[in-house]
Amino acid sequence: MKQTLLLAAALVLAGFSSFSQTPAAPAPTGPFIQAPLPYDFGALEPTIDKQTMEIHYTKHHKAYIDNLNKAVAGKPEEKLTIYQLIKKIDSQTAPLVRNNAGGHWNHTFFWNVMSPKKGAPSGELLTAINTTFGSVDKMKDEFGKAAAGRFGSGWAWLIVKDKKLAISSTPNQDNPLMAVAEAQGTPVLGLDVWEHAYYLKYQNKRPDYVKAWWDVVNWEAVAKNYAEAMK
Ligand code: MN
């Protein structure tokens, strides 16, 4: 807990420095910062073990941010929000920017669609899931197939596309907001299926990780994402 508070304080200071009048400090203190994790590293156990969460947040996610800040230093991209930057990515974007901006946006999104609080889809989200897939279980099956079928590293997504729910997956750190995505739309739920997200606990058994993961989905956040995407 003490570590979490210290980390939060450091992040606030890092964020404050980017708003100051003095010239931007050299990377890694750049314009993109890592928001505090909304729960403790061990909060999603046993589904996601503490060590995986700690390495994932403090090493992997942080590295995407540091590398993104280095890649955009002194360029117009560093003045954009991460969302604005993601929306500008196309096939001409430098891979360093595409991969690291994606890595930053995707992980920030991922932390927020998980929670130790148990829940289930309800309201308009539940209605939409039932209308599109037939039932919550059928949606989970289809999502699970997208997650298991993504060859190599990438992400599985539940998205809103043309005001309807759909399931897709993206390679590497691409996401459905990018013009390069096969299925473009607004993510409402996303799952990291890179081995670094599950290997310590699940080893090569990605389908077991995907199945267990539903236990830690933050359905309140997903419902909010859905409502926002339908506006
Ligand atoms: Mn990851």
Side-chain angles (χ1 to χ4, degrees), residues 56 60-61 64 103 107 110-111 154-155 173 192-194 196-197:
H56 204 171
H60 292 278
H61 185 191
Y64 292 119
H107 285 87
F110 185 49
W111 310 139
W155 292 75
Q173 294 295 354
D192 189 341
V193 296
W194 283 58
H196 69 227

Side-chain angles (χ1 to χ4, degrees), residues 109-190:
F109 182 82
F110 185 49
W111 310 139
N112 285 295
V113 293
M114 297 190 290
S115 163
K117 225 167 66 178
K118 305 277 178 208
S122 62
E124 287 178 14
L125 173 65
L126 178 61
T127 306
I129 289 172
N130 287 334
T131 304
T132 305
F133 303 100
S135 69
V136 174
D137 282 345
K138 283 182 181 161
M139 183 275 290
K140 288 180 178 177
D141 280 351
E142 202 175 314
F143 188 98
K145 280 180 201 155
R150 168 48 57 192
F151 184 77
S153 299
W155 292 75
W157 304 96
L158 179 65
I159 62 174
V160 169
K161 182 180 168 65
D162 304 325
K163 301 275 174 193
K164 281 187 187 141
L165 286 174
I167 280 164
S168 71
S169 73
T170 53
N172 306 314
Q173 294 295 354
D174 286 355
N175 70 48
L177 293 168
M178 296 178 182
V180 291
E182 262 175 56
Q184 286 169 51
T186 307
V188 298
L189 179 62

